[in-house]
Amino acid sequence: MRVILTKRFCRSFQQSFRTSSVRKGGRGESGKMFFVAGAKSGGGSGGERRSIYQKIREVDVLDKKKTVTALSAGEDRAMFLGLGMILSSVMMYFVLCITVLRAYADSVWTEESVCIVLNSTIVADVNCSYSCGSDCWRASKYPCLQIYVSVNNTGRVSLLSHNEETQEANSECFYVPKCQKDSSAMHAMTVNISERLKVHQQVPCYYDPGEQQGSVLLSRLYGRSAVFHSLFWPSCMLTGGTLIIFMVKLTQYLSILSEEIGKIKR
């Protein structure tokens, strides 16, 4: 009897163990299925996140491209502006070199001194012509004022002329006014100049140290101040154009350097 009971107990124990293992196996399979489903659902959310990230990155890339395009267009305009300023200044230098600088270099009245007015008189009337319309010229007269001065540095006595243009027009007269119909107005103006020079006995003047020209000038059209003022604005334009190009190149260099630093950090 005891043997039979033990056999029955063993059989029942084996059956209960099999049923429990079957149940556990079913739970394991269901757990595996749940894990696979969860993994699939997690992969879908990750894909959505990746797609959103890619869209955001594409938008950022487009914005960067637009910014780079705008910057390149602005840089090109700045470069053209700088080059235009430099070319304009070079052309102005060329014009000034053949006019002002050439006249300044060819001038023989280079030394400055103080002249003492010795005599100032109107000696004669000089014929001139003025325009009265298209292809119409009429005759008039202006008084010729002669002024003798003594140069302190040399001690010589010379005729005084107003400037280079007066010297070329009439070397015998101090001032050559613009010819007008009213000769009395020109005469009154010349008398006024003569009286002023008599009041101011000492006047600054320019003479020729090589004594090629016997006359003396009261003022120079193309002196140092005239050369400085004529070259000032072209020099400013040249400097401005050079600074613009330098700033554009510096900006490009800094942008490239920042991009390289960003790539290294990534």
Side-chain angles (χ1 to χ4, degrees):
M1 290 292 292
R2 289 180 180 177
V3 175
I4 294 168
L5 289 173
T6 53
K7 288 181 178 180
R8 290 179 180 177
F9 177 77
C10 291
R11 289 175 182 175
S12 62
F13 179 76
Q14 290 176 357
Q15 289 178 357
S16 63
F17 180 76
R18 289 174 182 175
T19 53
S20 62
S21 62
V22 170
R23 289 176 182 175
K24 288 181 179 180
R27 290 179 183 176
E29 291 177 356
S30 63
K32 290 180 180 179
M33 292 178 66
F34 177 76
F35 179 75
V36 172
K40 289 181 179 179
S41 62
S45 62
E48 291 177 357
R49 290 177 183 175
R50 289 179 182 175
S51 62
I52 293 170
Y53 176 73
Q54 288 178 356
K55 289 180 180 179
I56 294 171
R57 191 171 181 181
E58 288 176 358
V59 172
D60 292 337
V61 170
L62 289 174
D63 291 338
K64 289 181 180 179
K65 286 182 179 179
K66 290 180 180 178
T67 306
V68 170
T69 304
L71 289 174
S72 62
E75 290 172 354
D76 291 339
R77 293 174 183 174
M79 289 289 290
F80 285 136
L81 176 61
L83 291 174
M85 292 174 67
I86 291 174
L87 290 176
S88 299
S89 62
V90 170
M91 292 178 64
M92 292 176 70
Y93 277 128
F94 176 75
V95 173
L96 291 172
C97 285
I98 62 177
T99 55
V100 179
L101 293 178
R102 184 176 179 180
Y104 174 76
D106 293 342
S107 178
V108 296
W109 295 276
T110 56
E111 296 293 329
E112 185 176 3
S113 180
V114 177
C115 293
I116 300 173
V117 179
L118 301 177
N119 189 13
S120 176
T121 55
I122 297 174
V123 293
D125 291 333
V126 181
N127 296 324
C128 64
S129 58
Y130 64 93
S131 177
C132 57
S134 58
D135 298 333
C136 176
W137 296 89
R138 291 184 180 179
S140 184
K141 292 182 180 180
Y142 68 89
C144 179
L145 176 63
Q146 284 187 352
I147 299 174
Y148 285 92
V149 295
S150 175
V151 184
N152 282 344
N153 291 353
T154 60
R156 67 182 182 185
V157 178
S158 304
L159 277 173
L160 183 66
S161 296
H162 183 239
N163 50 35
E164 292 91 344
E165 289 183 352
T166 304
Q167 177 67 22
E168 291 178 0
N170 192 341
S171 60
E172 298 296 326
C173 302
F174 169 74
Y175 181 68
V176 178
K178 184 179 179 180
C179 192
Q180 301 177 6
K181 180 179 179 181
D182 190 1
S183 59
S184 60
M186 292 187 290
H187 188 275
M189 181 174 60
T190 305
V191 170
N192 188 17
I193 294 171
S194 177
E195 293 297 329
R196 287 185 178 182
L197 289 174
K198 287 179 181 179
V199 172
H200 302 284
Q201 289 292 322
Q202 294 183 354
V203 294
C205 59
Y206 298 90
Y207 68 96
D208 178 16
E211 296 184 357
Q212 296 178 3
Q213 294 287 338
S215 60
V216 180
L217 300 182
L218 181 65
S219 61
R220 295 179 64 185
L221 287 175
Y222 307 107
R224 294 179 181 177
S225 60
V227 172
F228 172 77
H229 287 95
S230 61
L231 296 178
F232 177 74
W233 294 112
S235 301
C236 290
M237 188 177 295
L238 178 63
T239 305
T242 306
L243 284 175
I244 289 172
I245 294 175
F246 174 75
M247 292 300 292
V248 171
K249 292 297 182 181
L250 180 62
T251 304
Q252 292 176 352
Y253 173 74
L254 292 176
S255 63
I256 293 170
L257 186 63
S258 63
E259 287 180 0
E260 290 179 354
I261 293 172
K263 289 179 181 179
I264 293 170
K265 288 182 178 180
R266 290 175 186 176

